[in-house]
Amino acid sequence: MPEPPPLDEPVAEAWFDGDLAPEDFRALGYRVIDAIANHLRDVPDLPVFAGRTPEEVARTFDEPLPKHGQEPARILDDWDEKVLPNATHNTSPRYFGYVMGSGTPMGILAEALAASVNMNAGGWKPAPSATEVERRTLAWLAELIGFDPACGGVLVSGGTMANVTALHTALRNAAPYDTTPRGLQDEARTGRFLVYASDHEGHVSLVRAVDMLNLGREALRRVPSRGDFTMDVGALRGMIEEDRARGDLPFCVVAQVGSVNVGAIDPLDEIADVCREYGLWLHGDGACGAVGAMLPEKRLLYAGLDRADSVSLDPHKWLYVPYECGCVLFRDPVTQRRAFTMEASYLQGILPDGYHGHDFYELGPQMSRGFRALKVWMTLKHYGAEGYRALLRQNVRCAEHLDALVRADPDFEPLHAPVLNLYCFRFVPARLRDDVDAHSEYLDRLNQAITDAIRASGLAFVMTSQLRGRTVLRLSICSHRTRLEDIERVFDDLRRLGHDIDRETGTAAAAAPVVVV
Ligand SMILES: *Cc1c(COP(=O)(O)O)cnc(C)c1O
């Protein structure tokens, strides 16, 4: 046995210090705050899309693993020189892609503060204040959309995880046997578990959800929709009857509460009646549109939302908070606990004590969880419900203004009435108006080319989508910074590009509609 060293001998080894001296941290922090403030000041004039190719961006970051540490100031230079110039600016007032929030100022500060204490909001003990901020935030979100604030809920990474969380809970609570011990492998299962959503606007994340639950993608049954893109409830009823007669096990209907292309809201009250009649779970997928329920002038469209068993909504979409933040609410908190409860000696102290609080790890898919609630809580306090109402209203107003511009212009075709902040339309040169169907392939390519061109120009980020098989221009007006002037500027540019591209490519196409350019 070697002799242990004598205790009074000093330890000579160097101890690596992973922290910064407080004054150094402060100086770097001020530089970061300046960079953020400058970005928010400058972003309206920056190209929305950097336009560099995937290869160029990859090359920018092609460097070896740093063997030795670098100066923090040098690392912040990388932010200025490499990261920011290759960012797509969804903080711009003219970012209209996907459904993306614009990032709120209090949300930015909240992210830094949350990181500074680094609480893990998985359990009450490691995160007493974060837990209560989240609980309060969930109750406020529920109240905002007219859902019972005594509901359960949890913040997750986004709408997809919210839908997965909801569908797992639905299956646990609405299956004809207890799926806890044996899940899908139980002999008690007598048929296929089925979920219903509308055919056109049912969101693709529901495919992900049934897939992750291992129900198979065909478990998502597509219900025909009506002319306004909302679910045909008569057809829903017919499908449920038919599937049950075959011995299958319908367990959930997903209603779109603001759909991803046109902002359609399914008839919630009627669907809730069907769900009650057949004992099915009603989930409202309100990732992009549920918060519209806070507008009194839109409330009627949301009638029946309070009857849903669960609702998902994304604060990182139409509440504008920085990524990531999704949310799912459960009308009956017991259903949520039933789906996620679990025990392990290392999660709770073995013996009950006075500090046994609300543990979110037992109420959703994650164990370790960040302090997501802070950015929502702080932004809600900054704007208040009325401030949020004003911002949402401004976005709706922009969609309505765009619709008016489209309807007044002979070279554009309106395709639906604006409901919320999502709007689709087409550029159709007036000369082709009378025979749109014969030129449909050309028009698909033309509209795609217009969005590619406006994105490449840096003026705006606009994408296409498909509406009943046609390629259309789609704007998601989901930024608290967008003003009517932005809409007009972008509309004028879309028109100019449409004419330019049509002039270059369209003459031949008009003569022979199927020519591929
Ligand atoms: C965006 C969206 C989702 C998915 O949300 P993520 O946050 O992107 O995961 C689900 N449903 C609808 C209706 C959406 O708009």
Side-chain angles (χ1 to χ4, degrees), residues 158-160 163 203 205 256 260 285 287-288 314 316-317:
T160 304
N163 284 343
H203 195 266
S205 60
Q256 292 305 143
V260 71
D285 179 359
C288 58
D314 267 0
H316 68 204
K317 287 183 174 171

Side-chain angles (χ1 to χ4, degrees), residues 9 14 213 226 241 331 348 353 457 516:
E9 208 166 274
L213 296 176
R226 306 180 293 194
E241 292 273 1
R331 190 160 43 85
Q348 274 301 338
D353 63 19
S457 79
V516 177

Side-chain angles (χ1 to χ4, degrees), residues 38 50 61 84 143 222 262 311 380 406 435 441 459 494 507:
N38 290 343
F61 295 96
L84 200 54
E143 187 179 337
R222 296 294 196 162
V262 298
V311 179
L380 261 164
V406 165
D435 203 4
E441 278 186 38
L459 176 72
L494 291 171
T507 329

Side-chain angles (χ1 to χ4, degrees), residues 315-378:
H316 68 204
K317 287 183 174 171
W318 211 10
L319 293 181
Y320 320 107
V321 304
Y323 286 100
E324 302 162 342
C325 193
C327 168
V328 55
L329 302 172
F330 295 97
R331 190 160 43 85
D332 176 1
V334 173
T335 59
Q336 179 185 12
R337 188 167 293 277
R338 193 177 291 139
F340 289 101
T341 190
M342 53 201 242
E343 275 168 36
S345 59
Y346 44 82
L347 293 177
Q348 274 301 338
I350 301 297
L351 299 173
D353 63 19
Y355 299 95
H356 193 140
H358 194 88
D359 291 319
F360 274 109
Y361 72 77
E362 280 207 285
L363 297 165
Q366 287 179 269
M367 307 216 79
S368 289
R369 308 172 65 245
F371 191 180
R372 288 196 185 98
L374 190 66
K375 55 196 169 191
V376 189
W377 187 76
M378 285 193 169

